[in-house]
Amino acid sequence: MKVLVPVKRVVDYNVKIRVKADGSGVDIANVKMSMNPFDEIANEQAIRLKEAGTAEEVVAVSLGGPKCQETLRTALAMGADRAIHVESEAELQPLAVAKLLKAVVEKERPRLVILGKQAIDDDSNQTAQMLAALLGWSQATFVSKLTIDGDEARCSREVDEGIEKLEVTLPAILSVDLRLNEPRYASLPNIMKAKKKPIDKLTPEDLGVDVTPRLVYTRFEEPPKRKAGVRVASVDELVDKLKTEAGVL
Ligand code: AMP
């Protein structure tokens, strides 16, 4: 079984993001970029499936500018076998990403695509669902536990009431949540080995996909600054403040 893992290059989760002065977007000049954390989890899961003998090949794919190659090298250093870079300088919104991934799926014919549940830059949480719909494949989102048994993927997902258990038939699209696993760090020898692994290049034109944006972001603003809290000396004081000042009791 081949597993495809889409990995996005995003602003590192430790960076405190700044909105551009004109409100047109987030300032990413000179900002540390990394693999989307949920995609690290997706890649880790695919590699574990390979180590368990369930998968034969793990292919990482990234869509975007030339620097996506760094993200792909990280995926390869973690253990993916090869990579595909769909190079485009255009703003790639989730629908365009899903259409490009559909074209890659048709070319590569994986049985499983494992994505992050959301990209932490735009927080869209749309790509996996759109890809499943475009392909007409089964989907399980926010997967926090996974076992593959023949043609079935047994998935647990965290929902408000507890854990929901699903069985989806392959081929399938899975999107993964934080608790699925703890991604490994790439060791130095594996980073060196990854430099020799192949990265194929494609463009949206090669794949016949129109990536014109469909959404217009009108304005970005910083969230209002939170007021400093107060420390109370006792539970009685807290209850009194909740009654008299906050008016919530
Ligand atoms: P989103 O729907 O934008 O929140 O993204 C969900 C998931 O889709 C991410 O965690 C990635 O696995 C995948 N994805 C989104 N954009 C890209 C991209 N430009 N390149 C590779 N994978 C992507």
Side-chain angles (χ1 to χ4, degrees), residues 5-9 36 38-39 42 61-64 68 92-94 97 101 114-129 175:
V5 185
V7 292
K8 186 174 187 187
R9 183 170 183 269
N36 183 42
F38 293 107
D39 303 354
V61 51
S62 194
L63 288 53
C68 288
L92 297 175
Q93 296 183 347
V97 173
L101 290 176
I114 312 183
L115 302 92
K117 75 165 179 182
Q118 70 195 55
I120 61 161
D121 50 2
D122 56 21
D123 271 347
S124 294
N125 176 11
Q126 295 176 2
T127 308
Q129 297 87 329
S175 83

Side-chain angles (χ1 to χ4, degrees), residues 140-155:
T141 53
F142 304 178
V143 174
S144 56
K145 197 167 171 217
L146 173 69
T147 7
I148 308 276
D149 188 1
D151 255 0
E152 299 294 320
R154 298 210 177 95
C155 308

Side-chain angles (χ1 to χ4, degrees), residues 117-184:
K117 75 165 179 182
Q118 70 195 55
I120 61 161
D121 50 2
D122 56 21
D123 271 347
S124 294
N125 176 11
Q126 295 176 2
T127 308
Q129 297 87 329
M130 285 177 171
L131 178 61
L134 290 173
L135 286 165
W137 284 14
S138 328
Q139 64 169 308
T141 53
F142 304 178
V143 174
S144 56
K145 197 167 171 217
L146 173 69
T147 7
I148 308 276
D149 188 1
D151 255 0
E152 299 294 320
R154 298 210 177 95
C155 308
S156 302
R157 28 190 331 265
E158 281 173 34
V159 291
D160 286 348
E161 297 79 20
I163 307 286
E164 182 181 61
K165 294 193 172 171
L166 291 180
E167 272 184 28
V168 294
T169 306
L170 305 187
I173 306 294
L174 308 180
S175 83
V176 302
D177 210 340
L178 208 58
R179 264 181 269 271
L180 181 63
N181 62 46
E182 220 173 281
R184 69 196 66 192

